[in-house]
């Protein structure tokens, strides 16, 4: 039997075959989207003329400008200066085809020019204004992701380890040389056999009380420092993470292992650049991506360094070999050491959003430009007018906005943390940066491939960027903490907070919703609200946020019960492993709740009414698309009745169409210059002309 809409179009007593009904509905989907729940009919989808430029809604330029003004950070001027600098220096622009050796040399010239010609002092920025530092890193990564990563290695990792793990004597000696690039350096933590498990590193630093030196040694091949950025070609120093060994101070006169500490180790001569005695450096070679970064492997054979080269903020050794620390245990010192390196994760999450914006901009602009098929004897239509294409790209565009606001908040929290050293804020930033880095980089990696597919054969051309974006960004999921490991840190902290809740303790700011509403979220769903399906209700931010938080609370409560049950027979480690997928889902759910809460807050804070309406539309799509993608969870516990689930699905499709109508304005509001986009198919105008010129016509 045909649906009511079909029956109304058929004459009285007429019937329509299932095949004919299907064909008619497929053709109508090109002309008119599904109406929003409660509407009698949706607005007709106007056909775009086949042209070299995508059509823009009336007043679209003003919409884009207002959105851009709201998105624009307070350090946009610094980014624009860098864009102008690279635009004026064609010799520093990265070509499509480049050998590994040439890319490495170009990347170092780019960094040197940024520091010495453009006058940027990244380490000073990192110490005085982290938000501007991350803005500079994003801009550098826009010019070339390898440049952004090499900048991060030099300043976030090598420089950051010196200023955050060292003391005044280290800053006085090394700060200026790191900042002006006289002292290119490395961050030598990862070993061949150990990456995520830093406490199991094997490189040793044994104190020699006779000479007042530490002896750095690689005890076996598994302890070779591996994937060390800047090591293969350019680095002159390395912060080496090693086990601090004190002879004769253990039980029975055995050596005492004081745990992992950081040491400054010169690896090349400052004048000749020759590798220093006792150090062996080899090249990790060509990689899947980021070939402008020279990753190398380091072996140390009894390399002696002064005792003062121990970065001694959290632990020190005196001239007579006595160890002192303000922190009582190895675990606490280790946690403090890694906690000071959280800025790397903040930067990766922030820059990953920048990569996502570039990919989405290219895909959306091309989808608006590209015209294929259409109703009989009528012009072809834009591929973005196909519902399937909207389903691919519009939730992704909405996510780009959601992640933008979330990472701006993360940077602000990190900046405040560095100013105040507030312990609660330190803990909050540590877990939040872990979760956002893991969630956003995984999402971006998947999205780049979807964007490539959405651009068809032209997306496969190297000049249109998707291959380089995918390959350069892919490692974001691994360095500065493997994403699966980081999500476990989030889950572990949630469980800790959960225990504190039931012991009468307080919760950190990000977990307030667990403190305020745990009872509500763990109660049985209201059978009345479970059936509400009106558009006003579904687009109510309170409903959306409650749904996200309800899911997180249920997951937290259930995994806590499972861990308690399995620990009785499997032990703590075995129980954790048995529940691992559950724990990862919990962490992702929590991070999605944090992202949505910030998005809703950002919409409410927008001062311009029209801009706020557009952002509200995008936020609603982000929220309802996430709910629909996990609708099984909500149905299983009767949080959403079948009719409501259907209404959410319909409204999500309708919102995707609505966002499509302002898609050009939304990507233009990212305010990415052509220097950053670079893909001919992603240009704002005359894309086909630029593409044909590139290949030689």
């Amino acid at each position: 039997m045909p649906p009511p809409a079909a029956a109304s179009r058929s004459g009285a007593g007429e019937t329509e075959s299932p095949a004919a009904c299907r064909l008619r509905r497929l053709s109508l989907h090109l002309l008119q989207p599904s109406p929003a729940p409660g509407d009698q009919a949706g607005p007709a989808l106007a056909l775009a003329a086949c042209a070299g430029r995508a059509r823009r809604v009336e007043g679209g330029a003003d919409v884009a400008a207002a959105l851009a003004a709201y998105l624009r950070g307070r350090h946009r001027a610094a980014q624009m200066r860098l864009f102008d600098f690279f635009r004026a220096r064609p010799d520093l622009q990265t070509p499509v085809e480049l050998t590994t050796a040439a890319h490495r040399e170009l990347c170092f010239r780019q960094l040197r020019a940024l520091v010495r010609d453009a006058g940027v002092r990244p380490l000073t920025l990192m110490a005085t204004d982290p938000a501007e530092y991350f803005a500079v890193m994003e801009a550098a990564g826009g010019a070339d992701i390898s440049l952004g990563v090499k900048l991060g290695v030099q300043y976030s990792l090598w420089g950051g380890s010196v200023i955050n793990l060292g003391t005044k004597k280290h800053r006085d000696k090394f700060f200026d040389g790191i900042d002006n690039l006289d002292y290119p350096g490395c961050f030598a933590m990862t070993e061949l056999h150990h990456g995520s498990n830093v406490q199991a590193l094997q490189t040793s630093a044994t104190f020699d009380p006779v000479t007042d030196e530490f002896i750095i040694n690689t005890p076996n091949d598994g302890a070779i420092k591996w994937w060390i950025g800047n090591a293969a070609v350019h680095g002159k120093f390395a912060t080496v993470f090693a086990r601090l060994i004190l002879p004769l101070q253990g039980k029975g006169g055995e050596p005492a292992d004081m745990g992992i500490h950081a040491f400054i180790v010169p690896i090349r001569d400052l004048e000749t650049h020759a590798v220093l005695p006792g150090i062996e450096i080899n090249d990790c070679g060509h990689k899947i991506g980021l070939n402008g970064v020279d990753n190398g492997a380091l072996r140390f054979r009894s390399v002696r360094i002064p005792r003062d080269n121990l970065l001694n903020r959290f632990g020190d050794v005196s001239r007579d070999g006595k160890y002192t620390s303000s922190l009582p245990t190895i675990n606490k010192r280790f946690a403090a050491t890694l906690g000071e390196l959280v800025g790397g994760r903040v930067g990766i999450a922030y820059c990953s959003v920048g990569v996502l914006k570039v990919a989405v901009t290219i895909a959306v602009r091309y989808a608006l430009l590209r015209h294929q098929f259409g109703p009989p004897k009528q012009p072809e239509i834009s591929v973005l007018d196909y519902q399937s294409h909207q389903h691919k790209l519009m939730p992704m565009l909405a996510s780009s906005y959601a992640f933008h606001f979330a990472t701006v908040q993360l940077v602000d929290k990190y900046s405040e943390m560095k100013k105040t050293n507030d312990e609660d804020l330190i803990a909050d930033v540590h877990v939040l940066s872990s979760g956002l880095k893991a969630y956003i980089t995984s999402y971006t990696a998947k999205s780049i491939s979807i964007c490539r597919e959405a651009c068809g054969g032209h997306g496969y051309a190297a000049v249109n960027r998707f291959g380089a974006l995918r390959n350069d960004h892919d490692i974001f999921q691994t360095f500065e903490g493997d994403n699966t490991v980081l999500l476990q840190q989030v889950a572990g902290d949630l469980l800790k907070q959960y225990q504190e809740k039931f012991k009468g303790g307080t919760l950190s700011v990000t977990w307030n919703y667990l403190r305020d509403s745990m009872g509500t979220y763990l109660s049985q769903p209201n059978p009345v609200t479970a059936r509400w399906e009106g558009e006003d209700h579904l687009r109510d931010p309170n409903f959306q946020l409650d749904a996200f938080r309800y899911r997180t609370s249920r997951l937290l409560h259930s995994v806590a019960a499972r861990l308690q049950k399995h620990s009785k027979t499997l032990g703590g480690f075995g129980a954790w492993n048995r529940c691992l997928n559950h724990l990862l889902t919990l962490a992702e759910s929590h991070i999605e709740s944090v992202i949505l809460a910030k998005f809703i807050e950002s919409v409410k804070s927008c001062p311009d009414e029209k801009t706020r309406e557009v952002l509200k539309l995008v936020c609603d799509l982000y929220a309802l698309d996430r709910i629909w993608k996990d609708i099984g969870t909500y149905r299983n516990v009767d949080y959403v009745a079948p009719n409501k689930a259907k209404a959410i699905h319909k409204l999500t499709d309708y919102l995707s169409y609505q966002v499509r109508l302002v898609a050009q304005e939304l990507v233009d509001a990212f305010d990415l210059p052509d220097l950053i986009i670079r893909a001919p198919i992603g240009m704002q105008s005359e894309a086909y002309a630029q593409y044909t010129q590139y290949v030689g016509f």
Side-chain angles (χ1 to χ4, degrees), residues 32 102 271 403 466 503 562 587 607:
Q32 182 175 353
E271 299 299 328
F403 298 166
F466 292 117
K503 290 178 182 177
R562 287 186 66 204

Side-chain angles (χ1 to χ4, degrees), residues 596-609:
L596 178 60
K598 181 57 186 177
F599 201 170
I600 290 170
E601 178 189 321
S602 299
V603 172
K604 291 179 179 178
S605 301
C606 182
D608 180 73
E609 182 179 357

Side-chain angles (χ1 to χ4, degrees), residues 20 114 238 292 338 617:
L114 183 149
L338 292 194
L617 171 67

Side-chain angles (χ1 to χ4, degrees), residues 197-256:
N197 189 4
V198 177
Q199 280 188 297
L201 296 179
Q202 298 177 73
T203 301
S204 62
T206 304
F207 181 62
D208 182 349
V210 176
T211 61
D212 196 27
E213 294 172 318
F214 284 102
I215 305 170
I216 310 297
N217 196 54
T218 302
N220 53 63
D221 285 355
I224 295 172
K225 295 296 183 181
W226 209 272
W227 291 126
I228 308 305
N230 274 358
V233 179
H234 299 125
K236 296 181 184 293
F237 294 89
T239 295
V240 176
F241 287 79
R243 317 194 73 81
L244 196 163
I245 307 297
L246 297 177
L248 306 176
Q249 295 196 25
K251 291 182 180 179
E254 292 292 315

